Amino acid sequence: MTHILMDNVCVDFPIYNTTGRSLKNRIMQAATGSFMGSNEQGHVVVRALQNIFLELSEGDRLGVVGHNGAGKSTLLRVISGVYEPTSGSIKVKGRITNLIDIHIGMDGELTGIENIYLRGALLGFKRAWISKKVNDIVEFAGIGDFIDMPLRTYSTGMQLRLAFSIATIQPPDILVMDEWLTVGDADFQEKAQHRLKEIVDKSSILVIATHSPALVEKVCNRTIRLERGALMST
Amino acid sequence: MLVFFKSGWRDICAALKKYDLAGVLGWQDIRQRYRRSTLGPFWITISMGVLIVALGTIFGNLFGTPMKEFLPFLTLGLILWTFISTVLNEACTGFTVAESIIKQISLPLFTHILRVLWRNMVIFAHNIVIFPLVLLIFWLPLQPIALLFIPGFVLLMLNLSWMSLILGVFCSRFRDLAQIVGNLLQVFFYLTPIIWMPQLLPKRFNLLLLDTNPFFHLIEIVRAPLLGTSPSALNWQFGIVLALIGWSITIPFYGRFRSRIAYWL
């Protein structure tokens, strides 16, 4: 039973300047007895999300809208489990894949095949399972013989195609996206849109941050608006 | 306290369960570093060999110890020290270099420390090849007691892993700590019997330089068996107690600050 429950979630980002980052300075401050005051100085806190209550269950297609810096990305990352709430709690049931950055962990020196295994491992797949899927991935990406060459020799488009093919090989329970992905040239784009739609349809919960009302209209059945980290409407 | 212990413990167990991920990441580091050279990681073996021969000739003659005795001692000492100091130095940046992954994908964070440990174990395995060569050159036998190096190495790893974890956490918060650790390790290189043999030390220095030096004990439990002698009871005790105390501090500490690491990066 896939489920997300956010209960009064707040996220504060500490902003450290170089003083706050230095152990030496901290010790010096403590030694000279000015710890409290200086602590304030080197320790600015930015509230990125405040008091978020949100419940999502199977079938929910949530669109997250709001201005730049409203906290959309932070919300996606809290749902992905990257940031733990500073206060409040979040419970997530189900396997999450986020397509916020589909390149993450890929390495230019390694060959296409090696990158498939590496990226696959980061997505949480077992080696044996990836072995079975390698041909599908390579074929879908349309990389051809380049697959045995280092990734750095690929064109940007090819890298994207490969990254996309790996990231979308298996629909997760919860899919998290920052804007709708578009990759590659016209031919590939059509194939990619088809694949993306397929995994969106197959995943039980979708959370997508976007600026496009048309997209919300098309794929979402719920919308929330964030303003300065707070929920405006559900 | 118990809450922190549990949350730290859970993360560590989850990372150990995903050991294959740490393995893949560690191998990738090695592949990436040596991809464009024909000899690959054996370059480190060669440079280590050169260093051992150079230091061996100079210090062996300087101290007047027979090469047959000094060179195997120096070989193991240097290889082990390189391993220990590289692990601890790289542990300091274990979380910071994995920033992009940590900020995108939710993984047990101990995985990034395991990655450092695994990568360096692979390099260690390349370097240790020199030791049988040295034995061969001097036509020295490997005693059955050498097998004791296995529990010794396990105990060394147990200690290095808690040190790495705690350093990784501290260094992602305080960025200048990595330099301090680097400096301290340099000092320990000279304080620990690696290029000098403990027999050369006047007895009264023993307590000061050997008995209280954790690195001496940790190196000794691996080195002594391979050289055909048994590590002292004190070596084992120190190693075991250090691991127990270290882990029992590290787990709750890690549990307390684990969730902050992503914010500190």
Side-chain angles (χ1 to χ4, degrees), chain A residues 11-14 16 20-24 26 77 80-86 98 100-101 104-105 107 109-111 114 118-119 121-122 126 152, chain B residues 17-18 20-21 24-25 28-29 31-32 35-36 100-107 170 172-177 180 258-260 262-265:
Chain A
V11 169
D12 295 325
F13 282 106
Y16 299 109
R21 279 256 116 120
S22 162
L23 181 66
K24 189 199 84 189
R26 288 296 284 271
R77 287 185 180 167
S80 308
V82 170
Y83 292 128
E84 276 184 31
T86 318
N98 82 47
I100 299 175
D101 179 356
I104 208 66
D107 189 322
E109 283 298 319
L110 303 186
T111 67
E114 287 168 337
L118 178 63
R119 187 68 181 93
L122 282 171
K126 292 275 167 221
R152 68 186 149 79
Chain B
K17 234 182 252 166
K18 289 190 181 211
D20 51 334
L21 177 58
V24 170
L25 291 170
Q28 174 221 345
D29 292 333
R31 281 216 183 100
Q32 192 229 45
R35 175 48 42 105
R36 296 200 211 180
S100 60
I101 293 182
I102 292 176
K103 282 193 171 172
Q104 296 288 344
I105 306 174
S106 163
L107 291 173
F170 261 117
S172 42
R173 174 67 181 83
F174 298 108
R175 297 293 165 89
D176 57 349
L177 191 59
I180 302 176
R258 186 189 56 87
S259 58
R260 302 301 302 158
Y263 289 94
W264 288 337
L265 291 175

Side-chain angles (χ1 to χ4, degrees), chain A residues 2-16:
Chain A
T2 313
H3 194 79
I4 299 173
L5 180 65
M6 297 177 85
D7 184 15
N8 201 11
V9 166
C10 294
V11 169
D12 295 325
F13 282 106
I15 309 292
Y16 299 109

Side-chain angles (χ1 to χ4, degrees), chain A residues 157-168:
Chain A
M158 283 163 79
Q159 292 185 9
L160 258 172
R161 264 149 50 193
L162 184 63
F164 179 85
S165 309
I166 306 168
T168 57

Side-chain angles (χ1 to χ4, degrees), chain B residues 198-263:
Chain B
Q199 299 90 290
L200 296 171
L201 210 63
K203 269 274 173 283
R204 63 202 152 88
F205 280 119
N206 266 8
L207 180 74
L208 198 67
L209 278 182
L210 300 182
D211 294 352
T212 54
N213 179 348
F215 294 111
F216 166 65
H217 299 288
L218 292 179
I219 286 181
E220 203 57 15
I221 51 178
V222 185
R223 181 173 58 190
L226 288 173
L227 293 176
T229 52
S230 177
S232 71
L234 181 69
N235 294 151
W236 289 111
Q237 284 157 3
F238 201 104
I240 292 168
V241 171
L242 190 67
L244 286 176
I245 296 178
W247 272 112
S248 54
I249 294 172
T250 304
I251 295 175
F253 173 82
Y254 177 55
R256 166 72 184 81
F257 292 108
R258 186 189 56 87
S259 58
R260 302 301 302 158
I261 293 173
Y263 289 94

Side-chain angles (χ1 to χ4, degrees), chain B residues 180-194:
Chain B
I180 302 176
V181 171
N183 284 338
L184 274 178
L185 283 171
Q186 213 137 48
V187 173
F188 268 105
F189 173 69
Y190 293 104
L191 290 182
T192 312
I194 297 163

Side-chain angles (χ1 to χ4, degrees), chain B residues 4-263:
Chain B
F4 295 144
F5 187 89
K6 273 187 187 156
S7 103
W9 180 249
R10 220 178 304 127
D11 183 279
I12 290 165
C13 289
L16 290 175
K17 234 182 252 166
K18 289 190 181 211
Y19 67 92
D20 51 334
L21 177 58
V24 170
L25 291 170
W27 267 114
Q28 174 221 345
D29 292 333
I30 294 197
R31 281 216 183 100
Q32 192 229 45
R33 264 189 226 177
Y34 304 105
R35 175 48 42 105
R36 296 200 211 180
S37 68
T38 28
L39 282 176
F42 281 105
W43 272 118
I44 345 168
T45 316
I46 293 172
S47 62
M48 177 61 84
V50 171
L51 186 69
I52 288 169
V53 171
L55 286 180
T57 344
I58 297 171
F59 286 96
N61 285 316
L62 216 60
F63 296 138
T65 10
M67 277 300 161
K68 205 174 169 175
E69 208 181 310
F70 184 64
L71 216 54
F73 174 86
L74 177 75
T75 305
L76 285 175
L78 264 186
I79 293 173
L80 279 167
W81 179 257
T82 310
F83 172 64
I84 293 173
S85 65
T86 319
V87 164
L88 295 181
N89 271 319
E90 291 186 356
C92 290
T93 51
F95 292 126
T96 38
V97 297
E99 174 175 353
S100 60
I101 293 182
I102 292 176
K103 282 193 171 172
Q104 296 288 344
I105 306 174
S106 163
L107 291 173
L109 291 179
F110 187 54
T111 296
H112 304 291
I113 297 298
L114 284 180
R115 172 187 189 171
V116 172
L117 293 170
W118 172 243
R119 169 173 77 212
N120 282 295
M121 277 165 74
V122 173
I123 293 175
F124 174 75
H126 280 90
N127 277 335
I128 201 72
V129 174
I130 301 172
F131 182 61
L133 282 180
V134 171
L135 288 186
L136 216 62
I137 290 169
F138 292 101
W139 208 240
L140 292 163
L142 202 59
Q143 321 272 1
I145 198 176
L147 282 176
L148 264 185
F149 99 91
I150 297 172
F153 192 74
V154 171
L155 192 53
L156 170 68
M157 287 315 294
L158 277 175
N159 275 299
L160 280 184
S161 42
W162 74 256
M163 292 176 188
S164 302
L165 182 53
I166 215 164
L167 280 177
V169 176
F170 261 117
C171 293
S172 42
R173 174 67 181 83
F174 298 108
R175 297 293 165 89
D176 57 349
L177 191 59
Q179 270 78 34
I180 302 176
V181 171
N183 284 338
L184 274 178
L185 283 171
Q186 213 137 48
V187 173
F188 268 105
F189 173 69
Y190 293 104
L191 290 182
T192 312
I194 297 163
I195 48 174
W196 50 272
M197 299 181 85
Q199 299 90 290
L200 296 171
L201 210 63
K203 269 274 173 283
R204 63 202 152 88
F205 280 119
N206 266 8
L207 180 74
L208 198 67
L209 278 182
L210 300 182
D211 294 352
T212 54
N213 179 348
F215 294 111
F216 166 65
H217 299 288
L218 292 179
I219 286 181
E220 203 57 15
I221 51 178
V222 185
R223 181 173 58 190
L226 288 173
L227 293 176
T229 52
S230 177
S232 71
L234 181 69
N235 294 151
W236 289 111
Q237 284 157 3
F238 201 104
I240 292 168
V241 171
L242 190 67
L244 286 176
I245 296 178
W247 272 112
S248 54
I249 294 172
T250 304
I251 295 175
F253 173 82
Y254 177 55
R256 166 72 184 81
F257 292 108
R258 186 189 56 87
S259 58
R260 302 301 302 158
I261 293 173
Y263 289 94

